[in-house]
Amino acid sequence: MRSTKRSIGMSKFAVAAAFLAVATACTAGGSAQTTKLPPTNPSASHTPVTLTFWTEWSDPDEFATFNQAVDMFHQAYPWITVKTAKGLTDDKILAAISGGKAPDAVLSFGLDNIAKFCSTGAWQNLTPYIKQSNTDLSVFPQAVFKYTSFGGSQCALPFLTDAYGLYYNKDMLAAKGFTSPPKTLSELTDMAKKLTVFNPDGSIKVAGFVPWMGWYETNPVTYGVPWGAQFYDSTGTKSALATDPAWTNMLTWQKQLVDFYGADKLAKFVAGSGDEFSTSQDFETGRIAMNMDGEWRTAFIGREAPKLNYGTAPFPVPDDQQDRYGVGQIGGTIIGIPKGSAHPGEAFLLLKYLATNTPGLVLMANKVGNVPTTFDSLDSPDLKLPPQFQTFLDIFKNPGSYYKGNTVIGAADQDTFNLFLEKWQAGKVSNLQAGLQATAQQIDNLLAQASP
């Protein structure tokens, strides 16, 4: 989620140590968690319950709006009081779980950790509560289940998401005779070249499109989806970087566009970019004509560059996959019940309410500029977002949109792949297939080491 700059806030070593501690605790005995829902009849007598809810929200205004959504829950369940806390990342949550001092419910931006949350039991399987409460999971687009469940455990529910598409400067396109954004990669390449402006010394003044991996949101996760590329094979246990031809095709296209600019010139241009989450961001200042970015950019533009004449569209797809146009990478905030929750039944009522309550989701979407995560909220007339935001609502609803496959190594697969991509785009890899095979083997080794 990027309405403000956020990160999981954990080194790979901290993540591994924290999950190891939780896994050890889960296998060392201890009392079983209850999976019985409390009575919910509002006219019945209830024993007052206070829930502790740890969240990763850090921005004061966003956190205040989130508390408004929580207050709606309290109004529906007046005997349940919720005490929320902000700025608590996964490492702090996991430390509390392993120390036997877990909160009742948690909210995380760390969707790459979902496999570990589910497989170690750090986050409880919600399926018994879902069945008891007859919760209808069809209210969510199917794509959410790729980042809220793992190994048969539905240990999280979604609460807002990101979606990625193409931003384009309408004035720049019009100046070159383009009346609509590109829909295919060949169109994107042609337009990027024609929209690029070079300085007299050959350096880049304005880039039509920047294909440099590691720059802003340019990474293999966001770019893999338009190509239909998969991180893992059908079993989810082996890296597919060397066996899925989409990666070879994508990287060949990317390197050809890098070579158009010149790797050295493009690296220098990227080094001079403005901070992504400030008024000096390159698209907002007119330094680039087109860019892959998330839905939150509409909120930034509204605040920081309100006169910018821009449009949004799905990211282009390969020329032989035009029937897939409209897809994009999605994935966002997750909520769950940690191991050791003192009131798991009441905590599930809170999670279900937050995940499915249309007014609360719309309230948050309007405030933070993220995509709401149920069909009803996606179509709500109460959404007050700029017209360019519709692109991202449609991308999230598209059944072809997805988030990369998750495994117990978390984001280590991306880190490993990115190290290879740094060499690739700089022209330091002579054999792409051999490089992908070596990278896939490294990821497979990490998977083997992480397996019980």
Side-chain angles (χ1 to χ4, degrees):
M1 310 296 287
R2 296 296 181 90
S3 58
T4 56
K5 190 173 184 180
R6 304 166 184 159
S7 65
I8 296 175
M10 305 174 71
S11 70
K12 286 186 288 185
F13 301 105
V15 172
F19 275 109
L20 178 61
V22 172
T24 301
C26 288
T27 57
S31 60
Q33 298 276 212
T34 178
T35 55
K36 185 176 181 180
L37 286 173
T40 57
N41 184 347
S43 62
S45 177
H46 297 275
T47 301
V49 173
T50 297
L51 300 178
T52 54
F53 191 9
W54 288 10
T55 82
E56 201 165 341
W57 298 111
S58 57
D59 179 85
D61 290 339
E62 294 177 351
F63 184 62
T65 304
F66 178 70
N67 280 328
Q68 293 179 41
V70 173
D71 286 343
M72 293 180 187
F73 168 78
H74 179 61
Q75 292 169 19
Y77 299 88
W79 63 93
I80 304 177
T81 300
V82 183
K83 291 186 176 181
T84 57
K86 65 178 180 178
L88 292 162
T89 51
D90 288 352
D91 53 344
K92 296 176 183 177
I93 291 171
L94 290 168
I97 295 171
S98 61
K101 298 180 180 179
D104 293 298
V106 290
L107 177 150
S108 169
F109 301 144
L111 69 166
D112 285 312
N113 285 331
I114 193 66
K116 294 181 181 180
F117 288 149
C118 292
S119 64
T120 63
W123 286 25
Q124 298 180 44
N125 188 354
L126 303 178
T127 300
Y129 298 115
I130 291 170
K131 290 181 177 179
Q132 288 179 54
S133 61
N134 295 316
T135 301
D136 182 9
L137 296 182
S138 69
V139 301
F140 307 111
Q142 191 65 27
V144 306
F145 299 108
K146 197 160 188 175
Y147 67 87
T148 59
S149 63
F150 181 80
S153 173
Q154 183 70 47
C155 73
L157 292 176
F159 182 75
L160 304 184
T161 190
D162 292 326
Y164 288 78
L166 182 75
Y167 284 73
Y168 59 97
N169 186 308
K170 288 185 174 183
D171 293 337
M172 289 186 181
L173 266 65
K176 294 295 183 179
F178 297 116
T179 58
S180 61
K183 292 185 176 181
T184 66
L185 270 301
S186 62
E187 290 175 351
L188 175 63
T189 300
D190 177 64
M191 292 173 67
K193 293 178 178 180
K194 292 177 179 177
L195 290 164
T196 296
V197 179
F198 292 97
N199 290 308
D201 64 0
S203 61
I204 304 167
K205 181 178 181 180
V206 176
F209 179 80
V210 176
W212 195 255
M213 291 290 176
W215 174 82
Y216 290 172
E217 301 301 314
T218 308
N219 61 69
V221 179
T222 54
Y223 279 76
V225 176
W227 287 87
Q230 300 295 324
F231 261 72
Y232 295 98
D233 65 10
S234 59
T235 68
T237 61
K238 292 288 184 181
S239 171
L241 298 185
T243 54
D244 185 346
W247 290 115
T248 300
N249 295 336
M250 185 194 81
L251 292 177
T252 299
W253 166 82
Q254 181 249 357
K255 187 61 166 54
Q256 289 173 345
L257 193 51
V258 168
D259 290 344
F260 162 76
Y261 290 104
D264 292 343
K265 293 178 182 178
L266 194 54
K268 184 177 180 180
F269 180 84
V270 166
S273 293
D275 182 81
E276 183 179 3
F277 298 97
S278 75
T279 56
S280 61
Q281 194 264 0
D282 284 2
F283 184 74
E284 293 181 24
T285 61
R287 201 165 177 256
I288 54 175
M290 299 182 291
N291 186 34
M292 162 85 86
D293 211 341
E295 81 294 337
W296 66 83
R297 182 59 52 191
T298 61
F300 276 82
I301 292 173
R303 292 192 301 267
E304 300 171 351
K307 295 183 180 180
L308 180 63
N309 185 20
Y310 77 101
T312 62
F315 196 79
V317 294
D319 291 47
D320 61 354
Q321 298 183 37
Q322 293 185 46
D323 59 329
R324 295 184 62 250
Y325 182 71
V327 304
Q329 189 230 293
I330 55 88
T333 302
I334 51 178
I335 49 180
I337 303 172
K339 177 183 181 292
S341 169
H343 306 286
E346 288 84 358
F348 177 77
L349 297 179
L350 172 63
L351 298 191
K352 178 182 177 180
Y353 187 90
L354 291 175
T356 61
N357 180 44
T358 298
L361 289 168
V362 169
L363 172 73
M364 287 298 297
N366 286 337
K367 176 62 180 180
V368 305
N370 293 143
V371 176
T373 34
T374 64
F375 287 113
D376 283 350
S377 59
L378 288 166
D379 295 329
S380 172
D382 295 323
L383 284 174
K384 308 299 181 185
L385 296 160
Q388 294 93 336
F389 200 90
Q390 185 62 46
T391 292
F392 305 99
L393 299 176
D394 293 339
I395 287 171
F396 183 57
K397 287 189 285 187
N398 191 303
S401 297
Y402 61 90
Y403 187 72
K404 65 171 286 291
N406 268 313
T407 67
V408 292
I409 64 173
D413 50 9
Q414 299 173 55
D415 296 338
T416 302
F417 197 10
N418 285 330
L419 291 174
F420 168 74
L421 294 177
E422 290 178 8
K423 298 177 182 178
W424 163 251
Q425 64 191 6
K428 298 179 180 179
V429 176
S430 58
N431 187 318
L432 175 57
Q433 187 61 29
L436 289 173
Q437 288 174 344
T439 305
Q441 186 60 58
Q442 292 175 41
I443 293 172
D444 287 345
N445 291 343
L446 291 172
L447 285 167
Q449 293 168 14
S451 299

